Amino acid sequence: MIKTLAYVIIILIGLCASPLLIGNLGHVYIAAGDYQIETSLVVTIIGLIVFYSLLQLAEWIIVALLNLLIHSRYLPERWRKNAAKKHTLSGALALAEEDWPAAEKAMAKGADKGEIPALNLFAAARAAQHQHKPQQRDEYLARAAKDPHAQTAVNTSRTRYLIQQGDYVGARETLSMLSPTSRSKAPVLLLAKDLYLQQEDWQALKLLLPILKKRKLIEPDALAKLTRKTDCALIGDAARESEAELDKCWHWLSSAEKKIPEVLTLYLMGLCRYERKTEAIKLLNKAIKSGLSESLLAAIPKIANAEDDSVRKQLQTQADAEDANPLFHQCMAILAAQTRDIKQAKVHWKKVCELSPNKDAWLSLAQIHEQLGDNANAMYCYRKAAKS
């Protein structure tokens, strides 16, 4: 609308000025050497406009010819880039369809002239990994590593592939280049966690767990399970190594970790191993008062003996609360057998057979009946054991 209005104004100005120009044509004289030109001002202006138009047209023609020559010179390069785009697209589709041979072939072809060669090479390496072709995979990653910005990604991918391959030593060497710390990216930390688990490097995993917790890279339940597994492994290894290592490991744990039943049980067993039973019994009584667990009930008969009346008294305080727990009655039966209290052992084994009948419980009850001379009930229990 504005452009049309401008054209109308120009035309009106021309109509108004034309009578003045016609009545006053002006005079232009041009001399160049032996040539002389004499004409009016209007003709001169029109000539200049025509000359400028021809000059502009000539410029456009020259530029168009130059562009044509340049493009024709680099035309094969453009063809190769267009072909690389097509290969990358077909490779991406093959990856989505999990057609690994086709994906590897297409991505490798599109890498040389692709817009982002490293991206093609990573995709080709992934396809080679799925085909169990480690040599080709490493070649693609080595080519991708030439890009300085892709070095971390290359080491991360290589670590992941080596773990999948089962080469944990090689994976650890590559992971050391990434130096997992609290500032590392989440994939690096998760790879470190998986690798430490596979290598059973509990010390390294113990140092990594607080970082995983802080970054919220693992679910709380999974974190608790992994913490329990790590602490148990550390305590178990320390107990087998030396008394000093056992104490060192125990003091390294937090207060919450020391209350984990499986960890506490292993520590108590370690204390008994190094003839520190008095200390173990003291901690055991404290643990019973806090609550009973499966691991603790299983370990009590191994820690306490016939002389440890304090443990039995502490367990009796839990009798009402644990009356429906077969593991509690099994523990009490074994402790009663230690003091040769056969009748009390019989009561507890009968309770176990009522709550959770199993072969071992029936056999233990049968043996007690034999010791008491009750052969009929002993045979009954043996038949029950045979059917279990």
Side-chain angles (χ1 to χ4, degrees), residues 209 218-231 260:
L209 286 175
I218 186 171
E219 294 295 327
D221 292 342
L223 178 64
K225 184 177 180 181
L226 186 57
T227 301
R228 181 170 61 251
K229 183 176 182 179
T230 303
D231 291 344
I260 297 175

Side-chain angles (χ1 to χ4, degrees), residues 70-86:
I70 292 172
H71 288 168
S72 61
R73 180 181 178 184
Y74 292 102
L75 195 58
E77 185 72 14
R78 293 178 62 191
W79 286 344
R80 284 190 284 269
K81 287 183 178 180
N82 289 333
K85 289 181 180 179
K86 292 180 181 179

